[in-house]
Amino acid sequence: MLKNGLKWVGISILSLMVAVAVVWAASRFWPLPVEQREAMRLLQAPVPTNGGNGFSALWTLRYDGLDANAREAVLAQDVERWRTGTPGQRPVDSSAEGRYLATPLPALARCGRRGMGCLAAVRADPERFAAAHAGHDALHQRVAAIAGHGHFVSPFMPFDTDPMVPLPVFHPMLDPVSAHALAHVRGDSGAALAGACADILSGRRMTGQGDTLITSMIGAAVVETNARLLADILVELPADATLPAACEAALTPMTSGEQSLCTAMRGEFALAGAGLRLASGDPKGNRLLLDVPRTQARMAPRYAWACAASAELVAARDAPAPIPGPAQDRFACIANPLGCSLANLPGPDMQQYAGRPQDAAAMLRLVAAQRWLRQQPGEASVALERLPEALRSPTRTPVLSDDGLWLQVDRRVVRDEGGPTLQVPMQAPAH
């Protein structure tokens, strides 16, 4: 009796184990949902590139005395150092450090977050800013020259032991802002306008053609910051003042491609995959609790929205980007519980990232609208009703503040230092 009972217990346990194995195998090999397969296709498609790769210019931006060939040579050397470095301890700095003079970037050259109050700060103490920018002319020329490159794709490949690849030092991109303000304060408004507009063009190029989010976000910040300074300068000039050729190009509405984060999201997705493989401890990542390929597929829609056909329409309409939430299918998690947990962790706020290029584009429209309104006869409030379509969006039409001193739109991304609106002045301040 006892023997038969033990036999049936054994058979039951074996049956249960077989059932668990069958369910696990079915979960592991269940076809991926259509949206995940499509997201993977979008993210793994060849990255379209326009013009020459300007990554070496960003990588060596701080350093004086290098021509284009020398910058490429430095980058090639640094890529080789990264490739052959000790796993987990690969060098992330540049071999240019110590070999070439790095332009000093003192905090004294800064003039407010996103350019707010920059012109007033420089006017209050021009000598301090003049001293801070001594010897920076070559750097400022390099920042303006960034616009001449077609895209910015890093040659540093992530390793499973080192998923975070080296990044350029980006803060030199914003160094020229107070120098442009200083030129205006000292009476050379033409140089100030030309400099700010040239840097806007560089920021526009970086925003849509960088292969990391930080490259795109810095590009958007360069656009917004210089556009705000441009508005502050223009309001102090005659309404019919002739603008440099660079400004006509800079104030052209940003295209959907210039606001696109597709290239950036492809790069971020590749880095996320390397991080998953590091977490799994297995180059292939096919372990019982963490299936890297399926985890990547589960995460893919949260990145692929930027590459979807609808993204161009969203940018054209200046509408909030539809960011997919975490995957809801639970059957796939039976064979990939750790992967599902990782995929469902709260990640970066993609709405915030998607909104920054849109705010940069809105800031440019505001500056163009400011210029147009100041050239119209009569009250600005009346002229605003016939504002050209190119200077408004379907979701954000500029309005005057209650006191009539500012032209503004709601921000897509609310920032503490800027409040809920993007603004440009309609009257020159007293000084």
Side-chain angles (χ1 to χ4, degrees):
M1 186 72 175
L2 179 61
K3 185 175 181 181
N4 287 337
L6 291 174
K7 176 181 178 181
W8 283 111
V9 168
I11 291 174
S12 298
I13 293 173
L14 180 60
S15 299
L16 180 61
M17 292 174 63
V18 170
V20 168
V22 169
V23 171
W24 184 93
S27 173
R28 173 59 64 99
F29 298 106
W30 197 260
L32 292 174
V34 173
E35 63 271 16
Q36 293 182 17
R37 295 201 303 271
E38 175 62 12
M40 290 293 290
R41 184 190 70 78
L42 291 172
L43 293 169
Q44 294 175 340
V47 177
T49 54
N50 302 309
N53 189 355
F55 187 84
S56 65
L58 286 178
W59 179 250
T60 59
L61 186 62
R62 292 181 299 164
Y63 302 103
D64 293 329
L66 291 85
D67 60 16
N69 290 334
R71 294 183 186 283
E72 291 291 346
V74 167
L75 176 59
Q77 182 176 348
D78 293 341
V79 170
E80 183 63 15
R81 291 169 66 226
W82 169 260
R83 187 185 69 81
T84 60
T86 303
Q89 303 177 26
R90 300 177 196 273
V92 297
D93 59 339
S94 174
S95 59
E97 191 68 33
R99 295 166 54 200
Y100 298 95
L101 179 65
T103 305
L105 299 173
L108 293 176
R110 300 171 192 163
C111 61
R113 298 291 298 274
R114 301 272 168 166
M116 285 177 282
C118 182
L119 191 56
V122 172
R123 182 169 278 127
D125 194 355
E127 296 308 317
R128 171 169 72 90
F129 285 93
H133 284 295
H136 286 204
D137 288 351
L139 169 63
H140 298 170
Q141 291 170 11
R142 292 194 294 272
V143 171
I146 290 296
H149 299 283
H151 59 278
F152 307 92
V153 175
S154 173
F156 292 99
M157 294 293 105
F159 288 88
D160 296 338
T161 55
D162 301 82
M164 300 304 297
V165 299
L167 291 170
V169 176
F170 286 106
H171 58 269
M173 287 295 304
L174 289 164
D175 182 72
V177 177
S178 56
H180 303 327
L182 181 64
H184 174 65
V185 168
R186 288 185 160 179
D188 194 352
S189 298
L193 294 173
C197 290
D199 291 355
I200 287 172
L201 292 173
S202 291
R204 288 174 66 148
R205 188 57 53 88
M206 288 174 61
T207 302
Q209 295 295 331
D211 69 341
T212 62
L213 273 175
I214 188 171
T215 303
S216 295
M217 296 303 102
I218 292 295
V222 170
V223 171
E224 183 180 329
T225 301
N226 281 280
R228 181 170 286 107
L229 175 63
L230 185 61
D232 289 345
I233 294 174
L234 286 175
V235 81
E236 296 186 356
L237 299 177
D240 59 354
T242 301
L243 299 188
C247 290
E248 298 296 343
L251 291 177
T252 301
M254 287 180 71
T255 65
S256 298
E258 287 178 307
Q259 299 176 58
S260 173
L261 295 182
C262 180
T263 300
M265 286 300 180
R266 282 171 167 158
E268 296 294 327
F269 184 68
L271 294 177
L276 284 173
R277 289 188 291 273
L278 176 63
S280 74
D282 180 359
K284 295 183 179 180
N286 291 312
R287 298 225 169 176
L288 292 177
L289 301 180
L290 173 58
D291 185 329
V292 169
R294 284 183 169 264
T295 303
Q296 283 185 280
R298 193 175 184 85
M299 296 168 61
R302 294 170 64 182
Y303 295 84
W305 59 267
C307 301
S310 59
E312 184 173 348
L313 179 60
V314 166
R317 294 186 60 251
D318 189 32
I323 312 296
Q328 298 300 314
D329 56 314
R330 297 182 178 180
F331 183 70
C333 298
I334 295 174
N336 188 28
L338 182 55
C340 287
S341 296
L342 291 173
N344 290 340
L345 285 175
D349 187 345
M350 294 297 185
Q351 283 288 1
Q352 297 282 312
Y353 288 123
R356 291 179 191 176
Q358 292 184 334
D359 280 348
M363 192 68 191
L364 287 182
R365 289 194 298 270
L366 275 179
V367 180
Q370 174 210 49
R371 183 178 178 225
W372 183 87
L373 284 171
R374 293 182 67 231
Q375 294 173 345
Q376 304 308 305
E379 294 291 329
S381 58
V382 177
L384 191 58
E385 296 177 2
R386 59 178 190 274
L387 186 69
E389 288 296 326
L391 305 184
R392 65 177 81 212
S393 83
T395 61
R396 292 189 287 182
T397 296
V399 298
L400 290 169
S401 61
D402 292 340
D403 57 12
L405 298 179
W406 301 91
L407 185 66
Q408 60 192 35
V409 295
D410 291 338
R411 280 183 174 273
R412 186 75 70 220
V413 179
V414 176
R415 305 181 64 86
D416 292 340
E417 69 270 18
T421 58
L422 293 165
Q423 297 180 319
V424 296
M426 291 303 295
Q427 296 181 26
H431 55 262

